[in-house]
PDB file of all heavy atoms in Angstrom:
ATOM      1  N   THR R   1      27.168  14.730  27.357  1.00 69.00           N
ATOM      2  CA  THR R   1      26.010  14.350  26.546  1.00 69.00           C
ATOM      3  C   THR R   1      24.732  14.888  27.160  1.00 69.00           C
ATOM      4  O   THR R   1      24.470  14.663  28.341  1.00 69.00           O
ATOM      5  CB  THR R   1      25.907  12.821  26.434  1.00 69.00           C
ATOM      6  OG1 THR R   1      27.115  12.313  25.873  1.00 69.00           O
ATOM      7  CG2 THR R   1      24.725  12.427  25.556  1.00 69.00           C
ATOM      8  N   PRO R   2      23.922  15.646  26.409  1.00 66.00           N
ATOM      9  CA  PRO R   2      22.688  16.201  26.970  1.00 66.00           C
ATOM     10  C   PRO R   2      21.770  15.117  27.511  1.00 66.00           C
ATOM     11  O   PRO R   2      21.550  14.090  26.866  1.00 66.00           O
ATOM     12  CB  PRO R   2      22.045  16.915  25.766  1.00 66.00           C
ATOM     13  CG  PRO R   2      23.170  17.173  24.830  1.00 66.00           C
ATOM     14  CD  PRO R   2      24.126  16.031  25.007  1.00 66.00           C
ATOM     15  N   ALA R   3      21.281  15.341  28.741  1.00 71.00           N
ATOM     16  CA  ALA R   3      20.396  14.370  29.385  1.00 71.00           C
ATOM     17  C   ALA R   3      18.998  14.956  29.524  1.00 71.00           C
ATOM     18  O   ALA R   3      18.829  16.174  29.634  1.00 71.00           O
ATOM     19  CB  ALA R   3      20.949  13.983  30.757  1.00 71.00           C
ATOM     20  N   HIS R   4      18.008  14.093  29.544  1.00 73.00           N
ATOM     21  CA  HIS R   4      16.635  14.533  29.731  1.00 73.00           C
ATOM     22  C   HIS R   4      16.380  14.895  31.197  1.00 73.00           C
ATOM     23  O   HIS R   4      17.049  14.407  32.105  1.00 73.00           O
ATOM     24  CB  HIS R   4      15.665  13.426  29.312  1.00 73.00           C
ATOM     25  CG  HIS R   4      15.455  13.369  27.839  1.00 73.00           C
ATOM     26  ND1 HIS R   4      14.385  12.743  27.253  1.00 73.00           N
ATOM     27  CD2 HIS R   4      16.177  13.880  26.813  1.00 73.00           C
ATOM     28  CE1 HIS R   4      14.460  12.850  25.940  1.00 73.00           C
ATOM     29  NE2 HIS R   4      15.545  13.536  25.652  1.00 73.00           N
ATOM     30  N   VAL R   5      15.415  15.775  31.409  1.00 76.00           N
ATOM     31  CA  VAL R   5      14.949  16.085  32.750  1.00 76.00           C
ATOM     32  C   VAL R   5      13.527  15.557  32.880  1.00 76.00           C
ATOM     33  O   VAL R   5      12.787  15.486  31.896  1.00 76.00           O
ATOM     34  CB  VAL R   5      14.983  17.603  33.033  1.00 76.00           C
ATOM     35  CG1 VAL R   5      16.411  18.124  33.025  1.00 76.00           C
ATOM     36  CG2 VAL R   5      14.148  18.358  32.006  1.00 76.00           C
ATOM     37  N   ASP R   6      13.153  15.168  34.081  1.00 73.00           N
ATOM     38  CA  ASP R   6      11.810  14.644  34.306  1.00 73.00           C
ATOM     39  C   ASP R   6      10.787  15.763  34.140  1.00 73.00           C
ATOM     40  O   ASP R   6      10.963  16.873  34.657  1.00 73.00           O
ATOM     41  CB  ASP R   6      11.706  14.048  35.710  1.00 73.00           C
ATOM     42  CG  ASP R   6      12.591  12.818  35.866  1.00 73.00           C
ATOM     43  OD1 ASP R   6      12.841  12.154  34.848  1.00 73.00           O
ATOM     44  OD2 ASP R   6      13.029  12.541  36.996  1.00 73.00           O
ATOM     45  N   VAL R   7       9.731  15.472  33.422  1.00 68.00           N
ATOM     46  CA  VAL R   7       8.669  16.446  33.175  1.00 68.00           C
ATOM     47  C   VAL R   7       7.372  15.906  33.735  1.00 68.00           C
ATOM     48  O   VAL R   7       6.972  14.783  33.421  1.00 68.00           O
ATOM     49  CB  VAL R   7       8.514  16.737  31.665  1.00 68.00           C
ATOM     50  CG1 VAL R   7       7.355  17.697  31.433  1.00 68.00           C
ATOM     51  CG2 VAL R   7       9.804  17.298  31.101  1.00 68.00           C
ATOM     52  N   ALA R   8       6.720  16.696  34.597  1.00 70.00           N
ATOM     53  CA  ALA R   8       5.440  16.302  35.184  1.00 70.00           C
ATOM     54  C   ALA R   8       4.511  17.510  35.200  1.00 70.00           C
ATOM     55  O   ALA R   8       4.932  18.629  35.500  1.00 70.00           O
ATOM     56  CB  ALA R   8       5.640  15.767  36.605  1.00 70.00           C
ATOM     57  N   GLY R   9       3.263  17.285  34.875  1.00 67.00           N
ATOM     58  CA  GLY R   9       2.290  18.367  34.881  1.00 67.00           C
ATOM     59  C   GLY R   9       2.177  19.043  33.529  1.00 67.00           C
ATOM     60  O   GLY R   9       2.799  18.639  32.539  1.00 67.00           O
ATOM     61  N   ARG R  10       1.389  20.122  33.511  1.00 71.00           N
ATOM     62  CA  ARG R  10       1.151  20.857  32.270  1.00 71.00           C
ATOM     63  C   ARG R  10       1.363  22.351  32.433  1.00 71.00           C
ATOM     64  O   ARG R  10       0.898  23.137  31.613  1.00 71.00           O
ATOM     65  CB  ARG R  10      -0.281  20.597  31.778  1.00 71.00           C
ATOM     66  CG  ARG R  10      -0.577  19.138  31.459  1.00 71.00           C
ATOM     67  CD  ARG R  10      -1.995  18.977  30.939  1.00 71.00           C
ATOM     68  NE  ARG R  10      -2.290  17.586  30.621  1.00 71.00           N
ATOM     69  CZ  ARG R  10      -3.474  17.154  30.173  1.00 71.00           C
ATOM     70  NH1 ARG R  10      -4.469  18.030  29.987  1.00 71.00           N
ATOM     71  NH2 ARG R  10      -3.655  15.872  29.894  1.00 71.00           N
ATOM     72  N   ASP R  11       2.043  22.763  33.500  1.00 68.00           N
ATOM     73  CA  ASP R  11       2.255  24.180  33.724  1.00 68.00           C
ATOM     74  C   ASP R  11       3.439  24.686  32.899  1.00 68.00           C
ATOM     75  O   ASP R  11       4.028  23.964  32.093  1.00 68.00           O
ATOM     76  CB  ASP R  11       2.476  24.463  35.217  1.00 68.00           C
ATOM     77  CG  ASP R  11       3.599  23.604  35.801  1.00 68.00           C
ATOM     78  OD1 ASP R  11       4.346  23.002  35.004  1.00 68.00           O
ATOM     79  OD2 ASP R  11       3.711  23.539  37.042  1.00 68.00           O
ATOM     80  N   GLU R  12       3.796  25.971  33.134  1.00 72.00           N
ATOM     81  CA  GLU R  12       4.863  26.588  32.351  1.00 72.00           C
ATOM     82  C   GLU R  12       6.207  25.913  32.596  1.00 72.00           C
ATOM     83  O   GLU R  12       7.033  25.801  31.675  1.00 72.00           O
ATOM     84  CB  GLU R  12       4.954  28.090  32.684  1.00 72.00           C
ATOM     85  CG  GLU R  12       3.822  28.929  32.111  1.00 72.00           C
ATOM     86  CD  GLU R  12       2.525  28.773  32.898  1.00 72.00           C
ATOM     87  OE1 GLU R  12       2.560  28.116  33.959  1.00 72.00           O
ATOM     88  OE2 GLU R  12       1.496  29.295  32.448  1.00 72.00           O
ATOM     89  N   ILE R  13       6.462  25.468  33.829  1.00 73.00           N
ATOM     90  CA  ILE R  13       7.735  24.815  34.125  1.00 73.00           C
ATOM     91  C   ILE R  13       7.824  23.472  33.397  1.00 73.00           C
ATOM     92  O   ILE R  13       8.873  23.093  32.879  1.00 73.00           O
ATOM     93  CB  ILE R  13       7.911  24.639  35.646  1.00 73.00           C
ATOM     94  CG1 ILE R  13       7.998  26.010  36.320  1.00 73.00           C
ATOM     95  CG2 ILE R  13       9.144  23.812  35.963  1.00 73.00           C
ATOM     96  CD1 ILE R  13       8.163  25.944  37.810  1.00 73.00           C
ATOM     97  N   ALA R  14       6.708  22.744  33.353  1.00 75.00           N
ATOM     98  CA  ALA R  14       6.695  21.484  32.605  1.00 75.00           C
ATOM     99  C   ALA R  14       6.926  21.738  31.119  1.00 75.00           C
ATOM    100  O   ALA R  14       7.640  20.977  30.449  1.00 75.00           O
ATOM    101  CB  ALA R  14       5.370  20.763  32.819  1.00 75.00           C
ATOM    102  N   LEU R  15       6.336  22.824  30.599  1.00 79.00           N
ATOM    103  CA  LEU R  15       6.555  23.182  29.193  1.00 79.00           C
ATOM    104  C   LEU R  15       8.018  23.535  28.951  1.00 79.00           C
ATOM    105  O   LEU R  15       8.599  23.153  27.930  1.00 79.00           O
ATOM    106  CB  LEU R  15       5.653  24.356  28.813  1.00 79.00           C
ATOM    107  CG  LEU R  15       5.761  24.860  27.366  1.00 79.00           C
ATOM    108  CD1 LEU R  15       5.400  23.752  26.386  1.00 79.00           C
ATOM    109  CD2 LEU R  15       4.860  26.067  27.156  1.00 79.00           C
ATOM    110  N   LEU R  16       8.632  24.237  29.905  1.00 79.00           N
ATOM    111  CA  LEU R  16      10.053  24.560  29.797  1.00 79.00           C
ATOM    112  C   LEU R  16      10.903  23.285  29.798  1.00 79.00           C
ATOM    113  O   LEU R  16      11.849  23.161  29.013  1.00 79.00           O
ATOM    114  CB  LEU R  16      10.469  25.473  30.953  1.00 79.00           C
ATOM    115  CG  LEU R  16      11.953  25.837  31.045  1.00 79.00           C
ATOM    116  CD1 LEU R  16      12.381  26.611  29.805  1.00 79.00           C
ATOM    117  CD2 LEU R  16      12.214  26.666  32.301  1.00 79.00           C
ATOM    118  N   GLY R  17      10.548  22.337  30.671  1.00 78.00           N
ATOM    119  CA  GLY R  17      11.278  21.074  30.705  1.00 78.00           C
ATOM    120  C   GLY R  17      11.146  20.297  29.411  1.00 78.00           C
ATOM    121  O   GLY R  17      12.127  19.720  28.913  1.00 78.00           O
ATOM    122  N   ALA R  18       9.938  20.271  28.844  1.00 80.00           N
ATOM    123  CA  ALA R  18       9.733  19.571  27.571  1.00 80.00           C
ATOM    124  C   ALA R  18      10.540  20.233  26.450  1.00 80.00           C
ATOM    125  O   ALA R  18      11.117  19.546  25.597  1.00 80.00           O
ATOM    126  CB  ALA R  18       8.246  19.547  27.226  1.00 80.00           C
ATOM    127  N   SER R  19      10.585  21.562  26.456  1.00 82.00           N
ATOM    128  CA  SER R  19      11.374  22.278  25.446  1.00 82.00           C
ATOM    129  C   SER R  19      12.858  21.978  25.604  1.00 82.00           C
ATOM    130  O   SER R  19      13.580  21.812  24.613  1.00 82.00           O
ATOM    131  CB  SER R  19      11.127  23.791  25.564  1.00 82.00           C
ATOM    132  OG  SER R  19       9.766  24.096  25.361  1.00 82.00           O
ATOM    133  N   PHE R  20      13.302  21.890  26.852  1.00 79.00           N
ATOM    134  CA  PHE R  20      14.710  21.559  27.090  1.00 79.00           C
ATOM    135  C   PHE R  20      15.026  20.157  26.582  1.00 79.00           C
ATOM    136  O   PHE R  20      16.076  19.934  25.974  1.00 79.00           O
ATOM    137  CB  PHE R  20      15.028  21.670  28.581  1.00 79.00           C
ATOM    138  CG  PHE R  20      16.448  21.324  28.926  1.00 79.00           C
ATOM    139  CD1 PHE R  20      17.436  22.290  28.891  1.00 79.00           C
ATOM    140  CD2 PHE R  20      16.797  20.029  29.281  1.00 79.00           C
ATOM    141  CE1 PHE R  20      18.752  21.968  29.188  1.00 79.00           C
ATOM    142  CE2 PHE R  20      18.103  19.696  29.584  1.00 79.00           C
ATOM    143  CZ  PHE R  20      19.090  20.678  29.538  1.00 79.00           C
ATOM    144  N   ASN R  21      14.128  19.213  26.837  1.00 81.00           N
ATOM    145  CA  ASN R  21      14.353  17.847  26.360  1.00 81.00           C
ATOM    146  C   ASN R  21      14.411  17.800  24.834  1.00 81.00           C
ATOM    147  O   ASN R  21      15.223  17.072  24.251  1.00 81.00           O
ATOM    148  CB  ASN R  21      13.250  16.925  26.877  1.00 81.00           C
ATOM    149  CG  ASN R  21      13.359  16.680  28.365  1.00 81.00           C
ATOM    150  OD1 ASN R  21      14.418  16.849  28.960  1.00 81.00           O
ATOM    151  ND2 ASN R  21      12.271  16.279  28.977  1.00 81.00           N
ATOM    152  N   TRP R  22      13.538  18.568  24.205  1.00 82.00           N
ATOM    153  CA  TRP R  22      13.565  18.616  22.736  1.00 82.00           C
ATOM    154  C   TRP R  22      14.889  19.194  22.251  1.00 82.00           C
ATOM    155  O   TRP R  22      15.490  18.687  21.300  1.00 82.00           O
ATOM    156  CB  TRP R  22      12.410  19.477  22.235  1.00 82.00           C
ATOM    157  CG  TRP R  22      12.375  19.617  20.743  1.00 82.00           C
ATOM    158  CD1 TRP R  22      11.829  18.764  19.837  1.00 82.00           C
ATOM    159  CD2 TRP R  22      12.957  20.690  19.987  1.00 82.00           C
ATOM    160  NE1 TRP R  22      12.024  19.228  18.563  1.00 82.00           N
ATOM    161  CE2 TRP R  22      12.703  20.408  18.617  1.00 82.00           C
ATOM    162  CE3 TRP R  22      13.644  21.851  20.320  1.00 82.00           C
ATOM    163  CZ2 TRP R  22      13.132  21.260  17.610  1.00 82.00           C
ATOM    164  CZ3 TRP R  22      14.078  22.692  19.306  1.00 82.00           C
ATOM    165  CH2 TRP R  22      13.808  22.392  17.962  1.00 82.00           C
ATOM    166  N   MET R  23      15.363  20.259  22.905  1.00 82.00           N
ATOM    167  CA  MET R  23      16.642  20.853  22.529  1.00 82.00           C
ATOM    168  C   MET R  23      17.789  19.873  22.763  1.00 82.00           C
ATOM    169  O   MET R  23      18.706  19.760  21.937  1.00 82.00           O
ATOM    170  CB  MET R  23      16.876  22.134  23.332  1.00 82.00           C
ATOM    171  CG  MET R  23      18.183  22.834  23.014  1.00 82.00           C
ATOM    172  SD  MET R  23      18.502  24.261  24.078  1.00 82.00           S
ATOM    173  CE  MET R  23      18.723  23.431  25.656  1.00 82.00           C
ATOM    174  N   ALA R  24      17.738  19.146  23.882  1.00 80.00           N
ATOM    175  CA  ALA R  24      18.789  18.166  24.174  1.00 80.00           C
ATOM    176  C   ALA R  24      18.826  17.078  23.105  1.00 80.00           C
ATOM    177  O   ALA R  24      19.904  16.646  22.672  1.00 80.00           O
ATOM    178  CB  ALA R  24      18.568  17.562  25.553  1.00 80.00           C
ATOM    179  N   ASP R  25      17.636  16.617  22.671  1.00 79.00           N
ATOM    180  CA  ASP R  25      17.591  15.602  21.612  1.00 79.00           C
ATOM    181  C   ASP R  25      18.183  16.140  20.310  1.00 79.00           C
ATOM    182  O   ASP R  25      18.917  15.436  19.606  1.00 79.00           O
ATOM    183  CB  ASP R  25      16.149  15.147  21.377  1.00 79.00           C
ATOM    184  CG  ASP R  25      15.618  14.305  22.526  1.00 79.00           C
ATOM    185  OD1 ASP R  25      16.438  13.745  23.271  1.00 79.00           O
ATOM    186  OD2 ASP R  25      14.385  14.222  22.681  1.00 79.00           O
ATOM    187  N   ALA R  26      17.837  17.401  19.992  1.00 77.00           N
ATOM    188  CA  ALA R  26      18.357  17.996  18.758  1.00 77.00           C
ATOM    189  C   ALA R  26      19.876  18.130  18.808  1.00 77.00           C
ATOM    190  O   ALA R  26      20.574  17.837  17.828  1.00 77.00           O
ATOM    191  CB  ALA R  26      17.707  19.364  18.520  1.00 77.00           C
ATOM    192  N   ILE R  27      20.394  18.555  19.955  1.00 78.00           N
ATOM    193  CA  ILE R  27      21.847  18.706  20.088  1.00 78.00           C
ATOM    194  C   ILE R  27      22.534  17.348  20.016  1.00 78.00           C
ATOM    195  O   ILE R  27      23.577  17.194  19.364  1.00 78.00           O
ATOM    196  CB  ILE R  27      22.186  19.420  21.410  1.00 78.00           C
ATOM    197  CG1 ILE R  27      21.710  20.872  21.358  1.00 78.00           C
ATOM    198  CG2 ILE R  27      23.686  19.363  21.690  1.00 78.00           C
ATOM    199  CD1 ILE R  27      21.907  21.631  22.637  1.00 78.00           C
ATOM    200  N   ALA R  28      21.957  16.350  20.687  1.00 78.00           N
ATOM    201  CA  ALA R  28      22.549  15.008  20.647  1.00 78.00           C
ATOM    202  C   ALA R  28      22.558  14.462  19.225  1.00 78.00           C
ATOM    203  O   ALA R  28      23.534  13.828  18.785  1.00 78.00           O
ATOM    204  CB  ALA R  28      21.780  14.073  21.571  1.00 78.00           C
ATOM    205  N   THR R  29      21.471  14.717  18.485  1.00 74.00           N
ATOM    206  CA  THR R  29      21.412  14.258  17.094  1.00 74.00           C
ATOM    207  C   THR R  29      22.470  14.939  16.250  1.00 74.00           C
ATOM    208  O   THR R  29      23.156  14.297  15.437  1.00 74.00           O
ATOM    209  CB  THR R  29      20.020  14.532  16.510  1.00 74.00           C
ATOM    210  OG1 THR R  29      19.031  13.828  17.283  1.00 74.00           O
ATOM    211  CG2 THR R  29      19.939  14.070  15.065  1.00 74.00           C
ATOM    212  N   GLN R  30      22.625  16.251  16.436  1.00 73.00           N
ATOM    213  CA  GLN R  30      23.628  16.982  15.665  1.00 73.00           C
ATOM    214  C   GLN R  30      25.040  16.526  16.015  1.00 73.00           C
ATOM    215  O   GLN R  30      25.904  16.414  15.135  1.00 73.00           O
ATOM    216  CB  GLN R  30      23.483  18.488  15.918  1.00 73.00           C
ATOM    217  CG  GLN R  30      22.234  19.101  15.318  1.00 73.00           C
ATOM    218  CD  GLN R  30      22.156  18.910  13.816  1.00 73.00           C
ATOM    219  OE1 GLN R  30      23.144  19.054  13.103  1.00 73.00           O
ATOM    220  NE2 GLN R  30      20.964  18.590  13.319  1.00 73.00           N
ATOM    221  N   GLN R  31      25.279  16.267  17.293  1.00 75.00           N
ATOM    222  CA  GLN R  31      26.597  15.778  17.686  1.00 75.00           C
ATOM    223  C   GLN R  31      26.891  14.422  17.058  1.00 75.00           C
ATOM    224  O   GLN R  31      28.009  14.180  16.582  1.00 75.00           O
ATOM    225  CB  GLN R  31      26.684  15.684  19.218  1.00 75.00           C
ATOM    226  CG  GLN R  31      26.726  17.028  19.919  1.00 75.00           C
ATOM    227  CD  GLN R  31      26.762  16.878  21.424  1.00 75.00           C
ATOM    228  OE1 GLN R  31      26.506  15.802  21.971  1.00 75.00           O
ATOM    229  NE2 GLN R  31      27.067  17.953  22.124  1.00 75.00           N
ATOM    230  N   GLU R  32      25.889  13.554  17.047  1.00 75.00           N
ATOM    231  CA  GLU R  32      26.082  12.232  16.450  1.00 75.00           C
ATOM    232  C   GLU R  32      26.315  12.345  14.947  1.00 75.00           C
ATOM    233  O   GLU R  32      27.194  11.670  14.385  1.00 75.00           O
ATOM    234  CB  GLU R  32      24.867  11.354  16.730  1.00 75.00           C
ATOM    235  CG  GLU R  32      24.928   9.973  16.098  1.00 75.00           C
ATOM    236  CD  GLU R  32      26.086   9.139  16.620  1.00 75.00           C
ATOM    237  OE1 GLU R  32      26.571   9.413  17.732  1.00 75.00           O
ATOM    238  OE2 GLU R  32      26.513   8.213  15.907  1.00 75.00           O
ATOM    239  N   LEU R  33      25.545  13.233  14.287  1.00 69.00           N
ATOM    240  CA  LEU R  33      25.731  13.427  12.853  1.00 69.00           C
ATOM    241  C   LEU R  33      27.110  14.001  12.555  1.00 69.00           C
ATOM    242  O   LEU R  33      27.754  13.621  11.570  1.00 69.00           O
ATOM    243  CB  LEU R  33      24.641  14.361  12.304  1.00 69.00           C
ATOM    244  CG  LEU R  33      23.229  13.789  12.230  1.00 69.00           C
ATOM    245  CD1 LEU R  33      22.255  14.860  11.770  1.00 69.00           C
ATOM    246  CD2 LEU R  33      23.167  12.590  11.286  1.00 69.00           C
ATOM    247  N   ARG R  34      27.582  14.903  13.423  1.00 73.00           N
ATOM    248  CA  ARG R  34      28.899  15.492  13.215  1.00 73.00           C
ATOM    249  C   ARG R  34      29.986  14.432  13.359  1.00 73.00           C
ATOM    250  O   ARG R  34      30.923  14.371  12.552  1.00 73.00           O
ATOM    251  CB  ARG R  34      29.123  16.625  14.211  1.00 73.00           C
ATOM    252  CG  ARG R  34      30.382  17.436  13.935  1.00 73.00           C
ATOM    253  CD  ARG R  34      30.579  18.529  14.968  1.00 73.00           C
ATOM    254  NE  ARG R  34      29.426  19.410  15.021  1.00 73.00           N
ATOM    255  CZ  ARG R  34      28.599  19.498  16.051  1.00 73.00           C
ATOM    256  NH1 ARG R  34      28.794  18.744  17.123  1.00 73.00           N
ATOM    257  NH2 ARG R  34      27.582  20.314  16.037  1.00 73.00           N
ATOM    258  N   ARG R  35      29.845  13.599  14.396  1.00 77.00           N
ATOM    259  CA  ARG R  35      30.837  12.534  14.581  1.00 77.00           C
ATOM    260  C   ARG R  35      30.817  11.557  13.405  1.00 77.00           C
ATOM    261  O   ARG R  35      31.871  11.139  12.903  1.00 77.00           O
ATOM    262  CB  ARG R  35      30.567  11.795  15.897  1.00 77.00           C
ATOM    263  CG  ARG R  35      30.971  12.564  17.142  1.00 77.00           C
ATOM    264  CD  ARG R  35      30.956  11.660  18.346  1.00 77.00           C
ATOM    265  NE  ARG R  35      29.606  11.241  18.688  1.00 77.00           N
ATOM    266  CZ  ARG R  35      28.837  11.865  19.569  1.00 77.00           C
ATOM    267  NH1 ARG R  35      29.292  12.929  20.205  1.00 77.00           N
ATOM    268  NH2 ARG R  35      27.620  11.419  19.825  1.00 77.00           N
ATOM    269  N   ARG R  36      29.608  11.214  12.961  1.00 73.00           N
ATOM    270  CA  ARG R  36      29.507  10.286  11.838  1.00 73.00           C
ATOM    271  C   ARG R  36      30.078  10.897  10.570  1.00 73.00           C
ATOM    272  O   ARG R  36      30.755  10.212   9.788  1.00 73.00           O
ATOM    273  CB  ARG R  36      28.051   9.899  11.615  1.00 73.00           C
ATOM    274  CG  ARG R  36      27.494   8.930  12.642  1.00 73.00           C
ATOM    275  CD  ARG R  36      26.033   8.654  12.384  1.00 73.00           C
ATOM    276  NE  ARG R  36      25.796   8.261  11.006  1.00 73.00           N
ATOM    277  CZ  ARG R  36      24.586   8.150  10.469  1.00 73.00           C
ATOM    278  NH1 ARG R  36      23.516   8.409  11.196  1.00 73.00           N
ATOM    279  NH2 ARG R  36      24.434   7.775   9.213  1.00 73.00           N
ATOM    280  N   MET R  37      29.832  12.191  10.364  1.00 71.00           N
ATOM    281  CA  MET R  37      30.318  12.832   9.149  1.00 71.00           C
ATOM    282  C   MET R  37      31.836  12.865   9.126  1.00 71.00           C
ATOM    283  O   MET R  37      32.467  12.568   8.094  1.00 71.00           O
ATOM    284  CB  MET R  37      29.766  14.252   9.037  1.00 71.00           C
ATOM    285  CG  MET R  37      30.188  14.954   7.760  1.00 71.00           C
ATOM    286  SD  MET R  37      29.433  16.565   7.556  1.00 71.00           S
ATOM    287  CE  MET R  37      30.115  17.043   5.967  1.00 71.00           C
ATOM    288  N   VAL R  38      32.455  13.208  10.269  1.00 75.00           N
ATOM    289  CA  VAL R  38      33.915  13.230  10.326  1.00 75.00           C
ATOM    290  C   VAL R  38      34.472  11.840  10.041  1.00 75.00           C
ATOM    291  O   VAL R  38      35.423  11.672   9.269  1.00 75.00           O
ATOM    292  CB  VAL R  38      34.393  13.745  11.701  1.00 75.00           C
ATOM    293  CG1 VAL R  38      35.903  13.568  11.840  1.00 75.00           C
ATOM    294  CG2 VAL R  38      34.009  15.204  11.884  1.00 75.00           C
ATOM    295  N   GLY R  39      33.882  10.820  10.657  1.00 75.00           N
ATOM    296  CA  GLY R  39      34.344   9.457  10.417  1.00 75.00           C
ATOM    297  C   GLY R  39      34.126   9.018   8.986  1.00 75.00           C
ATOM    298  O   GLY R  39      35.004   8.369   8.383  1.00 75.00           O
ATOM    299  N   ASP R  40      32.963   9.390   8.420  1.00 72.00           N
ATOM    300  CA  ASP R  40      32.677   8.984   7.042  1.00 72.00           C
ATOM    301  C   ASP R  40      33.605   9.679   6.045  1.00 72.00           C
ATOM    302  O   ASP R  40      34.064   9.070   5.076  1.00 72.00           O
ATOM    303  CB  ASP R  40      31.220   9.298   6.698  1.00 72.00           C
ATOM    304  CG  ASP R  40      30.248   8.393   7.445  1.00 72.00           C
ATOM    305  OD1 ASP R  40      30.673   7.292   7.839  1.00 72.00           O
ATOM    306  OD2 ASP R  40      29.089   8.796   7.642  1.00 72.00           O
TER     307      ASP R  40
END
């Protein structure tokens, strides 16, 4: 399951971490929707 990474600051690395967290949330949502769809 995709996990969040700690993000601190406003530099490029922090922006990369925030983008990764957004991607992890999107993947987790899609995985949950896929599981729900198969069950439904």
Side-chain angles (χ1 to χ4, degrees):
T1 302
H4 279 199
V5 295
D6 294 333
V7 177
R10 299 182 180 178
D11 54 13
E12 287 77 7
I13 296 180
L15 180 60
L16 176 62
S19 300
F20 179 88
N21 289 339
W22 178 84
M23 180 185 67
D25 289 338
I27 292 176
T29 300
Q30 290 301 318
Q31 289 178 346
E32 177 62 23
L33 289 176
R34 189 181 303 112
R35 285 192 292 266
R36 286 177 51 190
M37 182 175 182
V38 171
D40 290 336

